[in-house]
Amino acid sequence: MPHVVTGNCEGCRFTDCVESCPVACFHADAQRVYIDPDVCTDCGACIPACPVNACVEDFDLKPEEQHWLGFNAAGARAHPLIRSRQSPLPGAEGRRSDLGF
Amino acid sequence: MVLKVAVVGSGPAGFYAAEALLGAGRAVEVDLLERLPVPFGLVRYGVAPDHPKLKAVASEFERIAGLPGFAWHGNVEVGRDVGIGELRGLYHAVVLASGCDDEQKLGIPGEGRNGVHGARAFVGWYNGHPDFAGDPYDLSFEEACIVGHGNVAIDICRILAKPLPDLAATDISRAALATLAGRRLRRIHLIGRRGPVQASFTPRELRELESLDGWQVHAPDLPDIAAPELAGLDPAAANRVRKNLETLARWQTPPAANARVISLRFLLAPTRVEGDPAVTALCLERQRLQGDPPRAVGSGVVERIPCQAVFRSIGYRGRPLAGLPWDTRRGVLPNREGRVIGDDGNPLAGLYASGWIKRGANGIIGTNRADSIATVASLLVDIADPPDPVDGRRGLLSLLHARGCRTLGFADWTRIEAQERQRGERLGASACKFLAVDEMLAALEA
């Protein structure tokens, strides 16, 4: 079972996670990133890398958060792989402080 | 002009430095140098054999090895076959990514007794590292202490506790597997000098202990956590600690009388190994935390744990490289943002560091990718346009061949690996590793 990117990424997309991923399992669209569950090695390097705690181990997903599993798998299939850091979205810093980080 | 860079060490830091250089959008040639005839450093020789998913990182390294401009040169030891000074003459830049070859010692009486083992050697042994694969171990003890609260300590615990069939299917050293067949272990103590908040294991690795067949995990003396201990943590650390505390809180059920037990012990500092010539007990002093950041301070209360083996797993350290400055206190190459700093405080032109030799032995595989990206960013700023042509790869290979060195290419490694897989297939294992450099080289003659 893989790690997933949850809702905190939307509106931020800091992509620090991408640099710390040893296997290139991140895909991205204009709003957020997705983890490809077939490539993720469950190392957890993305968890401390994310400034807004968006990356989560599946084990820690609450029942109402299980949808992030399918959401990440579908997003990874639909959107291109990224291997390097991108510019955060405009307003990312504001959203970070709104989220309490 | 083509930027020519030598990277020393083909573990994660070296491969990710190569990736960052080759992805810079400039004309770059990277030569990745490796002491052994096989690549991947701690992915091959550090990651535990029962973590095959993590070992899959190797396929990413294979992709990097296929990038235009890349070459791997195995069986080349920098400092023996070619000097760092020579590399600096042959290349525009040299990135040192050779990791940590040494480890922290306990520094207590009796540490040299039979049955006290260092993590570096033991992990190398079960992973089949040529430097350690032939070491003799007697694993017929019933009770063992592992000192250290990091992921390596947990790996050692798991390998000691795991049923043989689960290990037999992996690429574990077959010599180690034969020795592990003689285990009689009933009790493992995982001992840390400080508390659970300061422990460095990651939640997943800690939790994995409770899935070991035939073992019960117990944290008998979980200390109360003082609020200031948690207040000083950054969000990522707080998240990790919270999850670890949740796991430890589950492990309060006293074990059944005849159970095999992994016992997590906190706030205990080893003071002495008893027994001569072989270990009979580990003596410890109970600690309390003081100050900010919290330090362990002795309380005068002592404890004695009978055991026949002690595994030391309290951190790896780098070893100084001949002719280069060294930060003795931290055990790293002194550097600023990856630029190696000379004794006069100024960067040494064209010399960079990445991975453990840059920042010390911490973090996980992915940590080294971000680290190498940062080092390469410094390098690319410093050498925006290489001033003069250098000999690079052609110069290196002609120098090595003139010295009679047998250099290997990545295709040679692929052939070695294919044979290891074939040998493994016959045994129902993912691979059967060659355990000596001579065997690896002989495999290429086949």
Side-chain angles (χ1 to χ4, degrees), chain B residues 75-385:
Chain B
N75 203 30
V76 177
E77 184 170 347
V78 173
R80 181 194 66 187
D81 301 324
V82 58
I84 287 173
E86 290 173 319
L87 289 178
R88 292 177 78 187
L90 287 166
Y91 292 88
H92 294 114
V94 177
V95 179
L96 300 159
S98 48
C100 288
D101 276 347
D102 203 358
E103 68 179 333
Q104 308 269 19
K105 308 290 190 294
L106 295 168
I108 59 172
E111 194 168 359
R113 298 282 150 75
N114 297 344
V116 180
H117 308 295
R120 205 191 136 64
F122 189 68
V123 170
W125 174 73
Y126 66 63
N127 271 314
H129 190 296
D131 289 356
F132 308 106
D135 290 357
Y137 282 92
D138 176 359
L139 301 182
S140 64
F141 44 79
E142 292 196 4
E143 196 154 359
C145 288
I146 302 172
V147 181
H149 272 173
N151 285 346
V152 175
I154 291 191
D155 282 346
I156 292 172
C157 179
R158 230 181 34 254
I159 295 298
L160 287 175
K162 206 161 220 178
L164 206 66
D166 294 353
L167 296 172
T170 71
D171 69 350
I172 194 167
S173 147
R174 303 314 283 191
L177 190 73
T179 304
L180 284 160
R183 286 171 297 174
R184 290 157 49 212
L185 200 52
R186 301 209 52 85
R187 199 167 187 104
I188 303 173
H189 307 265
L190 260 175
I191 295 163
R193 212 159 39 87
R194 297 190 292 170
V197 175
Q198 294 78 33
S200 58
F201 23 61
T202 48
R204 198 181 175 87
E205 274 63 28
L206 181 64
R207 210 168 55 224
E208 194 180 353
L209 288 179
E210 68 192 0
S211 62
L212 280 168
D213 268 351
W215 289 83
Q216 187 177 344
V217 194
H218 188 212
D221 50 3
L222 204 57
D224 293 330
I225 307 301
E229 274 189 76
L230 297 169
L233 300 174
D234 63 64
N239 184 35
R240 179 174 60 79
V241 167
R242 178 184 54 75
K243 288 162 70 174
N244 283 344
L245 291 174
E246 283 170 13
T247 301
L248 291 165
R250 280 203 302 276
W251 295 345
Q252 299 307 303
T253 315
N258 60 349
R260 294 197 293 169
V261 181
I262 295 166
S263 178
L264 271 113
R265 304 296 309 277
F266 295 95
L267 295 169
L268 286 170
T271 53
R272 193 160 53 87
V273 177
E274 273 186 13
D276 192 9
V279 179
T280 54
L282 181 63
C283 298
L284 308 117
E285 182 183 12
R286 184 145 283 286
Q287 308 285 298
R288 55 194 160 73
L289 295 177
Q290 215 171 59
D292 184 24
R295 284 169 43 95
V297 184
S299 69
V301 180
V302 295
E303 184 173 334
R304 182 178 176 279
I305 301 181
C307 61
Q308 303 83 50
V310 174
F311 293 84
R312 172 186 64 216
S313 179
I314 53 173
Y316 292 174
R317 276 180 76 81
R319 237 195 267 276
L321 301 172
L324 292 184
W326 190 248
D327 181 334
T328 325
R329 193 180 58 80
R330 295 184 56 218
V332 299
L333 277 170
N335 72 89
R336 280 197 296 270
E337 292 162 331
R339 297 176 178 94
V340 177
I341 303 298
D343 293 331
D344 63 358
N346 294 317
L348 296 169
L351 209 52
Y352 299 85
S354 188
W356 277 5
I357 204 164
K358 168 188 177 188
R359 64 173 202 281
N362 61 63
I364 53 182
I365 298 168
T367 316
N368 296 294
R369 185 162 187 266
D371 197 37
S372 286
I373 289 171
T375 289
V376 167
S378 295
L379 186 159
L380 293 170
V381 167
D382 295 349
I383 315 176
D385 189 20

Side-chain angles (χ1 to χ4, degrees), chain B residues 416-434:
Chain B
I416 293 174
E417 191 198 22
Q419 290 191 45
E420 290 187 338
R421 285 194 193 284
Q422 271 172 19
R423 282 155 41 110
E425 240 167 67
R426 292 194 286 271
L427 299 162
S430 59
C432 172
K433 286 177 177 174
F434 294 110

Side-chain angles (χ1 to χ4, degrees), chain A residues 18 20 22 42 57 60 83, chain B residues 16 60 204 207 243 369:
Chain A
V18 177
S20 70
D42 269 330
E57 189 184 351
D60 290 324
R83 293 183 187 274
Chain B
Y16 291 129
E60 183 64 6
R204 198 181 175 87
R207 210 168 55 224
K243 288 162 70 174
R369 185 162 187 266

